[in-house]
Amino acid sequence: VLQEQGALGAARANYERALLIDEQFYGTIHPNIAGRAMQLGRALRAMDDREGAQALFDRATTILANANDLKPAALAGADRPGRRLG
């Protein structure tokens, strides 16, 4: 909503915070991280940060391209240090 209203700085801050929270919960290779990276990338692109946006789009693409190779534990966030399943 913030991005649609033109509040790009606030949108970027919210997307960065959401990405950080999700990385702490899911780890760095979960498909949800790809979605967050895409959201942040779109905000950066709207702010004319093409390099930053491209880096995030590339990260999201890599995560999604490898999603079929992920083991169920990785999808559950087991790659996050200190997280136990079950």
Side-chain angles (χ1 to χ4, degrees):
V1 173
L2 291 171
Q3 187 171 346
E4 293 171 6
Q5 294 175 346
L8 298 177
R12 176 184 179 170
N14 284 349
Y15 291 142
E16 287 172 339
R17 182 172 171 242
L19 179 59
L20 179 63
I21 290 168
D22 278 0
E23 285 175 336
Q24 291 172 355
F25 185 78
Y26 293 110
T28 59
I29 59 172
H30 193 276
N32 286 8
I33 301 304
R36 295 291 189 195
M38 291 294 288
Q39 290 173 324
L40 179 54
R42 285 191 295 271
L44 292 180
R45 184 178 59 198
M47 297 174 76
D48 289 326
D49 181 354
R50 304 270 182 209
E51 283 185 32
Q54 189 61 54
L56 288 161
F57 294 150
D58 290 346
R59 179 180 180 193
T61 301
T62 299
I63 291 169
L64 294 175
N66 295 313
N68 288 335
D69 298 331
L70 295 176
K71 294 181 171 57
L75 290 172
D79 67 318
R80 183 171 64 93
R83 177 142 190 225
R84 293 180 173 217
L85 298 177

